[in-house]
Amino acid sequence: MMPIWRSTLTLAGAATLTLGMAHAQTPDLSEPPAIDGEMVGDHGSHTIRMGIGLAETSPQYLSSQYFADILAERSDGRLTVNVFPNSQLGDDVQMMEMMQTGTLDMSYPSSSPATTYVPELAAFDLPFLLPTREAAVAVMNSDVAQGMLDAFDGSGIKALAFSENGYRQLSNSVRPVETPEDVGGLDMGGLTIRTMENPVHLSIWETLGANPTPMAFGELFSAMEQGVVDGQENPWSTILTSNFHEVQEYGSETRHVYTPFILMMSERTWDDLHPEYQELVQEAARKSAAYEIQLATEYDDWARNQLEERGMQITRLNDEQIAAFQEAVQPVYDEWAPEIGEDLIADIREIVDETMND
Ligand code: TK8
């Protein structure tokens, strides 16, 4: 039986096609795994409010609905999750604060703005640290990463699981970018690039000669539309599902950072749940995170191709061009590795090397 939210999406998709919009809103995505496992006991009813930043067509939203379906089915309807997309309830920083104070039950921010709670997360912001998705997933599933999730304990936030926001790609409205010099602009002046609220990202774009501007995701579209910023950087699926191609002419496949999402619950909400419900929440978080990674994988190249079909001029960078960016951002490691922890970075590199040598 197809969950109701999926049939609604299909109807929306069909409506989109019927309205004559030439483009499908999602690729042909894998169905979520069948919901299995024991029913949990009756420990009362809870309605959980969850705010996320991305649109209803994003892997983030689709996997969150799967999370909701697992809880509903295994609790016989006693656990209801209402997911509010499109930054309706606030941006990543605001929603983490709301979970701390108990005014929001769940959210799904990127790891980058969460470095204020767990500084070690900044390892994920080091450019070109995770060369392949396989390596990134291995790191997110490692004890090192679990230690970062556990480090939230006591902050007011229960961090449940990592999933894929994805490889970040540069877009802008000014010029094609093939080299670091194209970013810094030489005598033309550097591009003004919106970044997440994260000091390592600021450092990356300063080092490349851009003018980085930290900004909440929810404000980004209008900032680009009004020319407040020239560009931004996000995975192709985010650029597509947030319609950034409507205000960004050029894309560059830089893959400069792999950003995780972190599925989070307010510790107040967590503490109110019976231990059997807590176990189910943790299990559903891990299953929906694995599904989200599957969807993000299926979305990635398809979204880039869709963006090109919709007129975005996307520059694919060859190995030499990527190497030029890697060399240009080396000072970011010099500045941040001691701060983040050389041992932690070495542990992550060891996991990466193991996956590369398999
Ligand atoms: C959405 C954000 C977004 C992130 C950003 O809530 O802010 O650019 O990549 O996906 O987490």
Side-chain angles (χ1 to χ4, degrees):
M1 158 74 173
M2 182 184 284
I4 182 66
W5 59 270
R6 193 153 181 84
S7 50
T8 310
L9 179 68
T10 309
L11 284 175
T16 303
L17 291 174
T18 312
L19 286 172
M21 289 172 70
H23 306 290
Q25 280 301 310
T26 68
D28 185 15
L29 297 169
S30 303
E31 289 295 322
I35 296 171
D36 56 11
E38 298 295 309
M39 299 291 285
V40 293
D42 177 355
H43 308 296
S45 295
H46 296 262
T47 296
I48 293 167
R49 287 173 77 242
M50 175 177 184
I52 66 172
L54 300 187
E56 296 88 334
T57 48
S58 66
Q60 188 187 54
Y61 180 82
L62 297 172
S63 62
S64 297
Q65 290 294 5
Y66 177 52
F67 173 78
D69 288 343
I70 295 171
L71 293 196
E73 195 151 320
R74 295 271 301 276
S75 72
D76 200 17
R78 294 188 184 90
L79 293 176
T80 305
V81 181
N82 294 325
V83 184
F84 297 86
N86 296 307
S87 304
Q88 279 174 52
L89 302 184
D91 59 63
D92 288 2
V93 172
Q94 289 167 331
M95 291 194 280
M96 284 190 282
E97 288 162 0
M98 290 159 72
M99 285 187 287
Q100 271 191 307
T101 59
T103 55
L104 180 64
D105 297 307
M106 293 191 72
S107 189
Y108 213 160
S110 288
S111 58
S112 306
T115 51
T116 49
Y117 299 89
V118 176
E120 292 79 7
L121 285 169
F124 285 108
D125 299 307
L126 289 170
F128 302 107
L129 180 67
L130 303 174
T132 65
R133 175 175 280 112
E134 186 192 9
V137 171
V139 171
M140 290 195 293
N141 290 337
S142 70
D143 292 343
V144 171
Q146 185 57 51
M148 296 180 189
L149 297 180
D150 295 344
F152 278 90
D153 290 356
S155 69
I157 290 172
K158 173 73 179 175
L160 296 163
F162 281 107
S163 70
E164 175 169 320
N165 183 350
Y167 279 105
R168 307 187 75 85
Q169 319 288 2
L170 175 65
S171 72
N172 84 90
S173 57
V174 175
R175 52 181 178 252
V177 170
E178 293 184 351
T179 66
E181 291 72 24
D182 293 333
V183 174
L186 300 174
D187 53 350
M188 291 182 284
L191 294 171
T192 302
I193 301 293
R194 173 269 178 182
T195 70
M196 293 185 285
E197 291 141 293
N198 172 290
V200 180
H201 282 258
L202 279 174
S203 175
I204 290 171
W205 295 99
E206 275 164 2
T207 303
L208 287 171
N211 303 302
T213 306
M215 181 186 298
F217 182 76
E219 296 160 24
L220 176 52
F221 186 93
S222 54
M224 294 187 290
E225 196 174 37
Q226 292 157 23
V228 170
V229 296
D230 298 321
Q232 64 84 49
E233 38 85 63
N234 253 293
W236 295 130
S237 64
T238 295
I239 295 172
L240 178 69
T241 56
S242 295
N243 296 315
F244 288 175
H245 53 284
E246 292 174 3
V247 289
Q248 297 277 273
E249 191 173 344
Y250 306 104
S252 303
E253 196 154 50
T254 47
R255 294 166 59 93
H256 52 279
V257 166
Y258 178 96
T259 304
F261 282 132
I262 304 176
L263 186 55
M264 299 177 170
M265 178 177 272
S266 167
E267 275 185 332
R268 293 191 192 194
T269 306
W270 175 264
D271 293 342
D272 279 349
L273 295 176
H274 182 278
E276 199 180 14
Y277 281 175
Q278 289 177 341
E279 254 178 67
L280 175 59
V281 163
Q282 183 63 76
E283 177 189 341
R286 290 198 177 109
K287 286 181 174 177
S288 65
Y291 181 52
E292 197 279 343
I293 292 170
Q294 174 64 32
L295 295 181
T297 304
E298 294 170 356
Y299 239 106
D300 204 5
D301 289 349
W302 179 86
R304 181 198 58 213
N305 299 340
Q306 282 288 311
L307 289 166
E308 287 182 316
E309 275 187 39
R310 299 180 190 204
M312 202 168 189
Q313 183 184 320
I314 292 180
T315 304
R316 288 168 174 72
L317 304 180
N318 60 37
D319 293 347
E320 292 71 44
Q321 291 170 318
I322 292 288
F325 277 94
Q326 287 172 312
E327 188 183 335
V329 295
Q330 184 51 42
V332 176
Y333 278 85
D334 303 338
E335 177 186 0
W336 284 99
E339 187 97 13
I340 293 167
E342 306 275 6
D343 291 347
L344 171 62
I345 296 168
D347 290 347
I348 290 174
R349 286 194 193 283
E350 194 176 324
I351 297 167
V352 171
D353 293 346
E354 280 164 16
T355 61
M356 305 299 275
N357 299 331
D358 276 355

